[in-house]
């Protein structure tokens, strides 16, 4: 047996090899988002596809620029995390935003929410949600302009309307709330990728099946919104089917980096995000609170991890 060119590598445990690296997980997320992405293009037109493409490309370019400035190898781009950030940001934008909006949003997401902290794995807030929060505070009129679905492959919808949550919260005259079925399939106003609960649920269940995400956060998140809505006298079915709850619960609140490590911590995270969502929806200035609920819990994740971390064997509780 020839051993001249063989190397014996000695390292600490665990000695586990897997092909399921970051790029694998990101590709699974992209695959899981395809139904909602295609649904958004069908509901709101080809212009939505252009917004998505611009968002993804600009996200990758911002990442490349940051890596070049930091003198990091561009091979890091192969992890697809910038693609996921660009896609997620696009899906939480109104369908008819100007094309410079996703460019600015992805710049904030990549540069200020991710790379300034050291890149992938070092950020403590979800980058796409930071980008959206910045856009909403800087350009509120653009970020709250909604259109009716066109339900076909037209270019874009030009019929202005209000979201179901805005109609319900502000008691807008002249608008009628969509049925539960319309909310479930996605035939309503909203962001490009948030309207179809059906398509988002398919993607979310796929990620759970592939062990990419843990069910505890989305289930506790959605159940909290349902239960508290019922307790305060609101329609719980309407409130779990409306807004961006399913997109946020399955695809943003489950981000590996910005969520707790333990099962108990994830349940606390989901419940907290649901409570903050409800507080903003019912008593805040905005009709929707999913994004801010997740961001608040992102910031609280280190505290949650510290509070619920398991005790080491033999450790004496102080």
């Amino acid at each position: 047996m020839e051993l001249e060119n063989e190397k014996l590598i000695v390292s600490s445990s665990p000695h586990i090899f897997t092909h399921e690296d970051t790029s694998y997980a990101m590709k699974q997320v992209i695959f899981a988002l395809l139904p909602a992405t295609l649904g958004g293009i069908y509901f709101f037109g080809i212009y939505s596809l252009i917004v998505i493409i611009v968002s993804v490309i600009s996200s990758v370019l911002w990442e490349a620029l940051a890596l070049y400035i930091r003198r990091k190898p561009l091979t890091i781009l192969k992890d697809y995390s910038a693609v996921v950030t660009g896609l997620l940001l696009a899906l939480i934008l109104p369908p008819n935003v100007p094309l410079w909006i996703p460019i600015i949003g992805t710049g904030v997401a990549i540069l200020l929410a991710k790379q300034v902290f050291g890149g992938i794995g070092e950020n403590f807030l979800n980058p796409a949600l930071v980008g959206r929060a910045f856009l909403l505070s800087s350009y509120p009129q653009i970020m709250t302009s909604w259109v009716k679905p066109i339900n076909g492959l037209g270019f874009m919808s030009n019929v202005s309307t209000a979201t179901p949550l805005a109609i319900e919260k502000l008691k807008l005259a002249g608008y009628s709330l969509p049925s539960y079925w319309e909310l479930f399939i996605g035939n309503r106003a909203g962001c490009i990728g948030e309207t179809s609960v059906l398509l988002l649920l398919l993607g979310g269940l796929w990620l759970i099946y592939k062990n990419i995400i843990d069910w505890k956060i989305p289930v506790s998140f959605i159940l909290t919104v349902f239960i508290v809505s019922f307790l305060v006298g609101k329609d719980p079915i309407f409130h779990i089917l409306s807004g961006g709850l399913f997109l946020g619960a399955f695809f943003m609140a489950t981000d590996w980096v910005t969520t707790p490590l333990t099962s108990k911590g994830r349940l606390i995270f989901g419940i907290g995000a649901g409570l903050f969502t409800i507080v903003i929806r019912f008593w805040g200035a905005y009709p929707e609170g999913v994004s801010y609920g997740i961001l608040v819990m992102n910031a609280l994740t280190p505290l949650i991890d510290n509070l619920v971390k398991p005790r080491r064997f033999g450790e004496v509780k102080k």
Side-chain angles (χ1 to χ4, degrees), residues 221-296:
F221 195 164
I222 295 167
L223 276 179
T224 299
V225 172
F226 183 92
I227 293 170
V228 178
S229 297
F230 175 77
L231 292 177
V232 299
K234 301 289 186 177
D235 183 345
I237 299 176
F238 172 81
H239 275 280
I240 65 170
L241 296 179
S242 300
L245 180 59
F246 274 75
L247 178 58
F250 280 102
F251 293 96
M252 295 181 176
T254 53
D255 177 27
W256 291 353
V257 180
T258 59
T259 51
L261 299 173
T262 64
S263 294
K264 186 185 296 185
R266 289 167 182 170
L267 288 172
I268 295 171
F269 185 100
I271 293 169
L275 289 174
F276 278 110
T277 296
I278 285 298
V279 167
I280 295 172
R281 281 187 180 185
F282 295 166
W283 301 288
Y286 291 110
E288 177 60 296
V290 169
S291 296
Y292 292 108
I294 296 172
L295 286 173
V296 170

Side-chain angles (χ1 to χ4, degrees), residues 26-294:
M26 294 298 106
K27 284 185 280 188
Q28 290 296 325
V29 172
I30 293 169
F31 179 76
L33 284 169
L34 282 180
T37 302
L38 296 174
I41 296 167
Y42 171 80
F43 289 127
F44 298 110
I46 299 298
Y47 185 77
S48 296
L49 173 60
I50 298 173
V51 172
I52 293 169
I53 292 172
V54 170
S55 185
V56 171
I57 291 176
S58 61
S59 181
V60 173
L61 291 178
W62 284 120
E63 181 100 322
L65 175 62
L67 293 174
Y68 176 77
I69 293 173
R70 296 178 58 215
R71 298 182 180 180
K72 298 290 185 180
L74 296 183
T75 53
I76 299 177
L77 289 171
K78 294 181 180 179
D79 61 25
Y80 292 93
S81 63
V83 174
V84 170
T85 298
L87 180 57
L88 283 172
L89 180 67
L91 296 182
I92 53 178
L93 293 177
N96 287 12
V97 294
L99 294 180
W100 53 267
I101 283 287
I103 296 174
I104 293 177
T106 53
V108 172
I110 295 296
L111 299 180
L112 299 184
K114 180 182 176 183
Q115 289 296 331
V116 75
F117 295 103
I120 186 169
E122 304 296 334
N123 53 288
F124 72 100
L125 299 174
N126 184 286
L129 290 179
V130 172
R132 186 183 190 278
F134 175 86
L135 292 172
L136 183 59
S137 60
S138 301
Y139 312 102
Q141 185 172 356
I142 294 174
M143 292 293 293
T144 55
S145 297
W146 311 104
V147 293
K148 287 186 175 181
I150 58 176
N151 297 331
L153 294 180
F155 184 68
M156 66 191 307
S157 173
N158 293 310
V159 182
S160 298
T161 188
T163 63
L165 286 175
I167 296 171
E168 191 263 353
K169 182 183 180 77
L170 303 176
K171 305 294 189 293
L172 298 177
Y175 294 94
S176 59
L177 290 174
S179 66
Y180 291 157
W181 175 249
E182 289 175 317
L183 291 172
F184 183 69
I185 64 171
N187 187 26
R188 61 177 175 89
C191 295
I192 294 172
E194 75 175 12
T195 63
S196 178
V197 171
L198 171 62
L199 300 179
L200 291 166
L201 189 58
L202 288 175
L205 292 176
W206 172 259
L207 292 180
I208 293 174
Y209 168 73
K210 299 295 288 185
N211 291 319
I212 302 298
I213 66 173
D214 187 355
W215 62 267
K216 296 178 184 66
I217 289 178
V219 170
S220 60
F221 195 164
I222 295 167
L223 276 179
T224 299
V225 172
F226 183 92
I227 293 170
V228 178
S229 297
F230 175 77
L231 292 177
V232 299
K234 301 289 186 177
D235 183 345
I237 299 176
F238 172 81
H239 275 280
I240 65 170
L241 296 179
S242 300
L245 180 59
F246 274 75
L247 178 58
F250 280 102
F251 293 96
M252 295 181 176
T254 53
D255 177 27
W256 291 353
V257 180
T258 59
T259 51
L261 299 173
T262 64
S263 294
K264 186 185 296 185
R266 289 167 182 170
L267 288 172
I268 295 171
F269 185 100
I271 293 169
L275 289 174
F276 278 110
T277 296
I278 285 298
V279 167
I280 295 172
R281 281 187 180 185
F282 295 166
W283 301 288
Y286 291 110
E288 177 60 296
V290 169
S291 296
Y292 292 108
I294 296 172

